[in-house]
Structure formats: C-alpha cells, structure tokens
C-alpha cells in the first residue's frame, strides 16, 4: 500500500521556490495590471500547496512527537476527491455566505480543511485516516494509513483516546458506520459536525443520518453548518464568527478549551493568507 511515499523534501523545496518566484512576478505584473496577475497568482498558490504536501509529516510521526490527546477528523474519501477538483473550488462562489464556517473562511472544501487544521493543531495532533494508495495527502489533518481489515479498529481506538471528534457530513453513505459508532461510543459533547454546503446534499445526509441520531436534524437547511451537541445529542448550531476561532469558541468552551488568537492571526485569516 502506498502511504504517501511520493513525498519528497527536495520536491518540496523546488515547488515552494518556483511558487514564490511566480508569486513575486505576478505581484509585480499586478502593480501595472491586476487582471494579468490572477492566473499567475493561482498557479503560484497551487505550486506552494503541492510543495507543502511533499513536506507534510505523516500521522505516525506527529503522534510520536506530540503526546497530547488527538483530535480525530472523519470524512468521506469520495467527497474529499470532489473537493480537490479545481471546478469545486469555484462552483460554490454564488452560494450564500451563511454556508461559510466563518466570515473569513469561504465554503471551499480545501480551504476549510486548512483552516480547521490550523485551529485544531493548537489542541492536539489533528489526525485522519489517509486514502489508501493516494500519491500525496491532502493538507489539514495528518494522515494515518490502515488496511481494509484494520481501519475500523483504528477508528475505534481513536474514539477512546481523542479529545475531540470532528465529523464532516458527506453526500455518500460511506460514513454511516462511523456515525453509528460515534453515537454508540463517543460522548456527544466532544463531537463537532460539519454539514454539507448544498441544501440537496444536506437533505440526502439527514435522510439516512436521522435513522441513527438519537435526536433528529431539522428538515430545513439549518442556520449554520457547524453543529455541537448537548449530553443527550440535542444539536445546536454555532453562529458564524468573525474568524473560525470565534465560530468554534462555544464548542471548545463546552470541552474546557479556551482558544487564543493573536491580532496577527486574525489579519492573516482575514486576508486568506493562513493556509
């Protein structure tokens, strides 16, 4: 099984250098004509991201170096593949800003993962299972790899030791086993759920999820995509904060976690530079 073995420190440096050079050139061109800088800036962004993927640490190393209880992230591999596409990054631009996780975090799957990773790594190792055979891991959470025979036991083990569990509700039913196990074994107060962006995908999700959840999700699309739970699994929807730290504050506080955010961090997130 390929465990992200395509990662290369040399490629990471080369890609980051190329991205930085193109970005500088794009900014110089943009000084005279901003429209001409759009495509080079996006190319630089993609090069820098790919370079970062080559340099990212795999989950085993992260857990070895950090003994804090982890934060577990669960999502559908199929949904993640859709979010990686260039088309997906732009198709939700017309969606209501109520689907943003925060006023500074657009409803873009890739950017959401990056932003969540930045926040949850302050709390503990942010861990997810990696897709078997993937060339490079997606950014955000650190990836662990397990065989088809082992992955369910691996998830169960993390349910027991994780400080928080983040569940990204998807359009596929591949998450059904994980949601069933969460309800059966995990304290509801430490579960954060992220609802789908589109109303149709939300309805598809609750069609099967409401047969599992002790308390049903509303039929109508909720006021927020971020959901925390009371001790009896009653859902409550987190209001959109100015930053993601602000959006997540009520969930973290109910778990005894106070997140601090510097003014500089707010500036970086506000300008889309923290990724």
């Amino acid at each position: 099984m390929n465990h992200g073995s395509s990662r290369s420190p040399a490629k990471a440096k080369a890609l980051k250098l190329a991205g930085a050079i193109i970005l500088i050139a794009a900014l110089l061109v943009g000084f005279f004509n901003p429209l001409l800088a759009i495509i080079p800036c996006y190319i630089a962004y993609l090069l820098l991201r790919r370079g970062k993927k080559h340099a990212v640490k795999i989950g085993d190393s992260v857990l070895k170096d950090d003994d804090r209880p982890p934060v577990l992230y669960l999502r559908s591999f199929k949904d993640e593949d859709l979010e990686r596409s260039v088309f997906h990054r732009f198709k939700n631009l017309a969606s209501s800003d109520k689907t943003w996780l925060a006023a500074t975090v657009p409803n873009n799957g890739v950017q959401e993962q990056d932003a969540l990773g930045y926040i949850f790594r302050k709390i503990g190792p942010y861990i997810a299972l990696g897709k078997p055979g993937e060339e490079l891991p997606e950014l955000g959470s650190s990836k662990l790899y397990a065989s088809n025979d082992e992955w369910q036991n691996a998830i169960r083990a993390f349910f027991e030791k994780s400080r928080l569990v983040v569940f990204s509700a998807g359009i596929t039913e591949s998450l059904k086993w994980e949601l069933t196990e969460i309800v059966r074994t995990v304290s509801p107060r430490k579960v954060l759920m992220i609802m789908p962006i589109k109303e149709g995908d939300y309805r598809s999700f609750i069609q099967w999820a409401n047969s599992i959840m002790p308390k049903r999700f509303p039929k109508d699309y909720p006021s927020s995509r971020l959901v925390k739970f009371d001790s009896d699994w009653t859902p409550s929807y987190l209001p959109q904060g100015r930053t993601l730290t602000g959006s997540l504050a009520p969930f973290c506080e109910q778990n005894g976690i106070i997140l601090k955010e510097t003014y500089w961090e707010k500036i970086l997130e506000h300008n889309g530079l923290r990724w």
Side-chain angles (χ1 to χ4, degrees), residues 38-91:
I38 294 175
I39 293 178
C41 280
Y42 187 66
I43 293 173
Y45 167 77
L46 294 179
L47 288 171
L48 290 168
R49 279 188 63 84
R50 191 163 183 85
K52 195 173 180 181
K53 289 181 181 181
H54 275 283
V56 73
K57 292 175 66 176
I58 294 300
D60 292 323
S61 298
V62 173
L63 291 172
K64 183 178 179 181
D65 296 337
D66 190 340
D67 60 1
R68 294 176 298 170
V71 177
L72 179 64
Y73 175 60
L74 300 169
R75 83 290 187 207
S76 161
F77 291 143
K78 183 176 181 181
D79 294 339
E80 186 174 71
D81 286 342
L82 291 173
E83 292 170 356
R84 285 175 175 173
S85 69
V86 174
F87 175 70
H88 180 87
R89 300 182 191 187
F90 296 102
K91 71 178 182 179

Side-chain angles (χ1 to χ4, degrees), residues 179-215:
L179 184 58
T180 301
E181 287 297 300
I182 286 174
V183 171
R184 189 176 69 85
T185 64
V186 178
S187 168
R189 293 178 64 84
K190 73 176 188 179
V191 176
L192 176 74
M193 189 171 290
I194 305 172
M195 290 299 184
I197 295 171
K198 294 183 177 181
E199 292 191 31
D201 294 339
Y202 171 77
R203 289 192 293 270
S204 295
F205 168 68
I206 66 170
Q207 187 173 7
W208 61 263
N210 276 342
S211 66
I212 297 172
M213 298 299 297
K215 298 294 179 69

Side-chain angles (χ1 to χ4, degrees), residues 2-170:
N2 186 339
H3 290 180
S5 58
S6 296
R7 292 177 304 117
S8 166
K11 288 183 179 180
K13 292 179 180 179
L15 288 164
K16 289 180 180 179
L17 178 60
I21 292 172
I22 294 175
L23 180 60
I24 292 171
L27 293 176
L28 292 174
V29 171
F31 181 78
F32 299 100
N33 189 334
L35 291 177
L36 294 178
I38 294 175
I39 293 178
C41 280
Y42 187 66
I43 293 173
Y45 167 77
L46 294 179
L47 288 171
L48 290 168
R49 279 188 63 84
R50 191 163 183 85
K52 195 173 180 181
K53 289 181 181 181
H54 275 283
V56 73
K57 292 175 66 176
I58 294 300
D60 292 323
S61 298
V62 173
L63 291 172
K64 183 178 179 181
D65 296 337
D66 190 340
D67 60 1
R68 294 176 298 170
V71 177
L72 179 64
Y73 175 60
L74 300 169
R75 83 290 187 207
S76 161
F77 291 143
K78 183 176 181 181
D79 294 339
E80 186 174 71
D81 286 342
L82 291 173
E83 292 170 356
R84 285 175 175 173
S85 69
V86 174
F87 175 70
H88 180 87
R89 300 182 191 187
F90 296 102
K91 71 178 182 179
N92 293 317
L93 290 177
S95 300
S96 168
D97 57 5
K98 81 172 185 177
T99 63
W100 291 25
L101 299 189
T104 50
V105 183
N107 53 13
N108 174 307
V110 172
Q111 280 187 263
E112 287 184 355
Q113 287 208 42
D114 292 343
L116 289 165
Y118 187 89
I119 299 299
F120 287 121
R121 282 193 295 272
K122 293 182 177 182
I123 299 171
Y126 188 41
I127 299 297
L129 288 187
K131 182 179 179 180
E134 65 184 355
E135 178 189 1
L136 291 171
E138 188 54 73
L139 298 175
S141 54
S142 300
K143 304 302 188 294
L144 291 165
Y145 294 89
S147 68
N148 289 334
D149 296 330
E150 299 171 341
W151 74 271
Q152 290 183 337
N153 287 333
I155 291 294
R156 287 193 184 101
F158 275 105
F159 283 159
E160 294 179 5
K161 60 187 177 183
S162 292
R163 186 168 190 184
L164 303 172
V165 175
V166 182
F167 181 91
S168 182

Side-chain angles (χ1 to χ4, degrees), residues 224-242:
S224 168
R225 290 175 53 220
L226 292 173
V227 188
K228 69 180 182 70
F229 300 91
D230 295 337
S231 56
D232 63 353
W233 285 105
T234 299
S236 57
Y237 299 85
L238 305 181
Q240 186 185 95
R242 185 69 184 86

